Amino acid sequence: CFEDAAGIAKARLAAWRANTSGLTGQPATKAVTDEEQTKHFEAYLRGTQRFFVVADQPGVGVVGFASYGPSHTKRNFGELMQLFIHPDWQRYGLGSRLVHAALEKMRGKAFCQEGIHIWATQGNPGNRVYDKAGLQLSGAQKFLKPGLSDTEVLVVEYIVPGFSLDSGGGSSSSSSSSSSCPTPSSASRPWPAKLGRLLQKHPRWATLLACSMAGLTLSSWRLSHGHSSVPPLAPDSVQGGDDEKPFDESSNIGVKVEVDADSLGFPAAQCLDGSKPVYYLRRGRGTGRKSWLLFFQGGGWCSHAPKVPLKFSKSLIEDCDERAQTRRGSTRWDPDTMNFNLKRLFSADPERNIMFHNWNIAFLRYCDGSSFASPAGQANLEAILHHLRSNAGMYVAEEVVVSGCSAGGLAAALNVDRIREVFPAGTKVAGLFDSGVFLHWARDDQEDLQASPGPNIWPLSESLRPAFKGHEARAPRACRDAHEEHGDTWKCFFMEYLLPHISTPSFILQSRYDTSNIRIADVDDPVQRELRWFGEAVDRRLSWAMSMTEGQHGLFLDSCFHHCMSWGDLQADGPGGPTQPEVFAAWWNLHVADQRVGYRPSSRWDHVYMSSDPDCTGDDCHLPLVSPCFSENCCPELDTHLSFWKRHFSDPSLSYRVET
């Protein structure tokens, strides 16, 4: 395993440089090169007194390691001597798994007859991996000088519980002749299942290579990282390639991946009924192999309040216990595959979907009823992100778009900044939020004089606040800080307040007359006036939110009667103008990829009306729509959207006279 020396050296230096200056108060390293460290570790690998367990990510190489061997200070003790994780791979549970693997490998070694111990720098946040493993502080401490520093640091001793705490170097007693190494006591902390059993059950992710001179044996172990049915990477997906073969409809399929969140360290992750988090994955191709679309599924919300307003459709707000018995609150009945042809954003047609047609697509199943904001919802998201990076190859992503529709659009907005943090600084990340605007009707300002939306509009905000109660801590920190003084952190669940505090460039697709907000739609003038007033409120509040940012966000606003589902149908800027996919691509190039091409340096596009009169000429034939359009001429597939609205959002006790 000498070839691992260079990877071990690189991981050690990167981790030391990133983390050590804060512990020593001095520059992180001496003037040491990768070559010198490589020779250093090659010498260890040739010897018989130090052994290594390394985490080797295919396509990347060594991303972390632990070393162990006979203790330098305690006779007949084994010692975990080093634990380093490359900064790009920290906070993904590797440290805990390497510690566990090293302790398992020490089992049976003659040098640890009396116990195992570890010397760790006092105050190092990384010490929590030893606490999680059930190790205990012995009370012993001393100063030592790390190999890459000129400054002494205080170190403390951890031991495996249940063995002698004597810190001296006395001889072993006659009663301690067993050659088996101890493992942490199950009484001190509930340990995971035995590593070998986990590895047999979950054979994916980082390969652990145990090297020693004793015959240079190579033990290939795989850590537990969830479900094993992740679709394989396309050929050359890490190295690149010129395979631009387009998808056909039969291959535009998402494969179900059930995430074993417990094994990843996220025990709180679960749906409302206790089932496991799930995502569906379609692999990218050609130039899209390193590009990812993360899509949050929508589907309303639920409340644990004693009384849920029955006047609302269950597509909007329902009781959480009832929701748990449906696919909106469970993944138990999820099929093995999903037809991605049914969602236009996932289309494999490069003419209709110019950006995402060949990207990797992960469809995140929504089953917590809180837009992933509850403790369980947040744990679901963390487990899925962990699994995507570790098992599905998302760690090599160069472009990432975080999207969602309706409650999923809100989830994407709540989490886009957090998701951006898991990628290296050079990764291009943006948000794409579809139909996620639900107005706060009790807003106190001079422009919105009505505290009620009127009888034809669902008063969603009055019931969304109780549904989000208790989840405020999951809202973005910047938004919470802005509203905490007045106790208004709940506002962060409304896009009009949230958008100014999202730092990741994000694009909004929104109808002024989103059908999820509409209780009654009628051709009568009073209803039309109320709808126009509602549309003006949506426009005004989004314009205000956009004005409070630094210009990094974009908006496509239309006046069609729909909720989601319009990707590629609507145009801006007159006949022949760009569709939403083209507008988003132009905005992406300008604001995210910084490639100054596209239609214009705009942050806002408006859907326009195009007259059906063949003799119409001039600007009057294509004006921005400021009234709801109930015509196929300006809003394609209107009948489909009306049918969807009647099934999911309309008040079923009323009749309608909508004309098309």
Side-chain angles (χ1 to χ4, degrees):
C1 294
F2 301 134
E3 64 272 17
D4 288 323
I8 292 171
K10 184 177 180 180
R12 184 196 186 191
L13 285 174
W16 185 267
R17 288 168 178 148
N19 302 324
T20 305
S21 59
L23 299 173
T24 65
Q26 299 293 326
T29 62
K30 296 178 180 179
V32 62
T33 65
D34 288 356
E35 292 76 11
E36 290 172 330
Q37 280 291 290
T38 298
K39 292 179 180 179
H40 176 78
F41 283 108
E42 283 179 348
Y44 277 136
L45 290 170
R46 289 190 176 93
T48 59
Q49 297 300 301
R50 186 171 298 199
F51 309 91
F52 289 80
V53 181
V54 305
D56 177 54
Q57 177 62 26
V60 177
V62 175
V63 297
F65 73 94
S67 69
Y68 62 93
S71 170
H72 295 308
T73 57
K74 300 181 75 168
R75 188 174 179 183
N76 294 324
F77 262 71
E79 180 176 350
L80 182 61
M81 298 170 178
Q82 293 172 304
L83 178 64
F84 287 99
I85 311 297
H86 192 285
D88 291 346
W89 291 86
Q90 292 175 6
R91 299 180 65 188
Y92 285 90
L94 266 182
S96 296
R97 287 160 173 77
L98 284 169
V99 168
H100 193 180
L103 295 178
E104 287 287 334
K105 290 302 292 181
M106 278 192 271
R107 180 185 298 277
K109 298 291 185 183
F111 55 72
C112 57
Q113 294 177 4
E114 295 188 7
I116 303 171
H117 73 150
I118 301 165
W119 290 104
T121 305
Q122 187 180 53
N124 187 346
N127 291 350
R128 61 179 175 269
V129 301
Y130 307 131
D131 298 324
K132 288 171 62 178
L135 306 184
Q136 297 178 355
L137 288 167
S138 70
Q141 58 184 37
K142 64 182 180 180
F143 283 93
L144 62 76
K145 186 183 296 183
L148 295 179
S149 174
D150 291 322
T151 304
E152 286 191 337
V153 296
L154 181 65
V155 295
V156 294
E157 184 185 41
Y158 284 85
I159 63 159
V160 175
F163 293 85
S164 171
L165 302 185
D166 178 16
S167 60
S171 60
S172 61
S173 64
S174 58
S175 62
S176 301
S177 59
S178 171
S179 63
S180 177
C181 256
T183 56
S185 167
S186 60
S188 65
R189 178 184 182 275
W191 261 64
K194 287 288 185 279
L195 184 63
R197 201 161 64 242
L198 287 173
L199 303 179
Q200 291 175 1
K201 184 178 179 182
H202 304 288
R204 286 198 175 267
W205 211 66
T207 303
L208 293 179
L209 304 174
C211 297
S212 75
M213 274 301 293
L216 279 178
T217 59
L218 176 66
S219 299
S220 180
W221 292 0
R222 293 188 180 270
L223 287 177
S224 164
H225 258 259
H227 198 275
S228 61
S229 62
V230 179
L233 291 168
D236 300 321
S237 60
V238 175
Q239 291 79 15
D242 57 1
D243 176 20
E244 289 294 340
K245 180 182 178 181
F247 289 101
D248 55 37
E249 288 193 0
S250 63
S251 63
N252 191 21
I253 300 297
V255 176
K256 176 185 173 183
V257 181
E258 184 179 79
V259 178
D260 186 356
D262 279 343
S263 69
L264 300 180
F266 301 99
Q270 59 180 346
C271 299
L272 289 172
D273 71 334
S275 54
K276 294 180 180 181
V278 162
Y279 66 91
Y280 285 83
L281 178 62
R282 185 197 80 184
R283 286 294 186 191
R285 296 188 182 184
T287 58
R289 286 191 179 101
K290 296 185 180 180
S291 302
W292 285 79
L293 174 63
L294 305 181
F295 188 88
F296 287 84
Q297 182 185 24
W301 302 273
C302 70
S303 174
H304 291 284
K307 292 184 179 180
V308 176
L310 297 180
K311 60 186 177 183
F312 286 103
S313 162
K314 288 186 177 181
S315 297
L316 295 171
I317 302 175
E318 61 185 315
D319 179 81
C320 287
D321 291 335
E322 294 182 6
R323 188 182 180 99
Q325 306 307 312
T326 71
R327 287 199 63 206
R328 294 187 298 275
S330 174
T331 58
R332 295 184 190 278
W333 306 285
D334 283 12
D336 291 336
T337 60
M338 176 182 290
N339 183 0
F340 276 9
N341 295 300
L342 299 178
K343 187 172 287 292
R344 293 178 181 177
L345 190 67
F346 303 164
S347 171
D349 183 349
E351 294 186 3
R352 292 183 61 93
N353 197 17
I354 59 177
M355 271 193 65
F356 304 128
H357 67 275
N358 63 348
W359 283 31
N360 297 279
I361 296 177
F363 179 91
L364 280 58
R365 276 281 281 115
Y366 175 38
C367 62
D368 63 277
S370 70
S371 287
F372 289 80
S374 67
Q378 277 287 290
N380 288 348
L381 175 58
E382 293 296 331
I384 289 173
L385 289 176
H386 190 139
H387 196 275
L388 283 167
R389 279 177 56 89
S390 304
N391 287 61
M394 198 172 70
Y395 63 89
V396 297
E398 296 177 351
E399 300 174 312
V400 179
V401 171
V402 181
S403 186
C405 167
S406 190
L410 176 58
L414 288 169
N415 290 287
V416 64
D417 283 346
R418 161 72 188 94
I419 292 173
R420 185 183 63 176
E421 292 176 355
V422 309
F423 295 100
T427 307
K428 299 178 179 67
V429 182
L432 176 60
F433 316 141
D434 188 359
S435 304
V437 175
F438 305 91
L439 297 186
H440 170 224
W441 288 111
R443 180 170 178 156
D444 183 17
D445 61 38
Q446 295 182 353
E447 291 185 331
D448 289 323
L449 301 179
Q450 288 186 250
S452 170
N456 300 315
I457 310 299
W458 287 116
L460 273 171
S461 59
E462 70 181 41
S463 294
L464 282 180
R465 286 183 60 181
F468 290 130
K469 185 176 178 60
H471 304 330
E472 292 88 345
R474 279 82 188 177
R477 165 57 64 183
C479 188
R480 299 203 317 268
D481 289 346
H483 296 288
E484 202 161 31
E485 181 178 354
H486 301 290
D488 293 340
T489 52
W490 53 266
K491 288 184 175 179
C492 297
F493 292 99
F494 293 87
M495 191 73 74
E496 59 195 278
Y497 303 113
L498 173 61
L499 187 63
H501 304 288
I502 297 175
S503 61
T504 304
S506 297
F507 197 92
I508 294 176
L509 300 171
Q510 185 65 38
S511 168
R512 292 178 176 87
Y513 310 103
D514 190 316
T515 56
S516 66
N517 289 266
I518 309 301
R519 177 171 169 256
I520 303 170
D522 204 304
V523 295
D524 287 347
D525 283 345
V527 174
Q528 288 282 346
R529 286 198 298 271
E530 188 172 309
L531 289 178
R532 283 195 295 271
W533 178 86
F534 171 72
E536 291 168 1
V538 171
D539 191 337
R540 182 170 57 249
R541 296 188 190 188
L542 280 177
S543 297
W544 173 85
M546 293 277 289
S547 72
M548 300 299 291
T549 71
E550 297 180 357
Q552 73 270 32
H553 301 319
L555 170 66
F556 188 107
L557 196 61
D558 72 78
S559 295
C560 292
F561 197 67
H562 71 96
H563 181 64
C564 308
M565 302 191 301
S566 68
W567 187 250
D569 280 346
L570 306 178
Q571 293 177 310
D573 295 347
T579 62
Q580 299 108 312
E582 293 168 329
V583 161
F584 179 76
W587 171 85
W588 168 277
N589 287 329
L590 180 65
H591 293 274
V592 183
D594 199 27
Q595 300 171 9
R596 299 193 174 270
V597 298
Y599 291 94
R600 57 188 171 128
S602 175
S603 294
R604 171 171 172 152
W605 286 261
D606 272 282
H607 172 219
V608 299
Y609 171 79
M610 289 172 282
S611 174
S612 59
D613 182 357
D615 298 325
C616 182
T617 59
D619 293 339
D620 290 342
C621 298
H622 44 88
L623 295 174
L625 280 167
V626 293
S627 298
C629 172
F630 292 107
S631 168
E632 292 275 357
N633 178 50
C634 52
C635 295
E637 300 193 17
L638 176 62
D639 286 341
T640 299
H641 295 305
L642 284 172
S643 296
F644 184 84
W645 167 69
K646 289 178 181 179
R647 290 197 311 272
H648 294 283
F649 303 125
S650 67
D651 189 327
S653 66
L654 302 172
S655 60
Y656 305 96
R657 291 184 293 129
V658 175
E659 297 177 355
T660 62

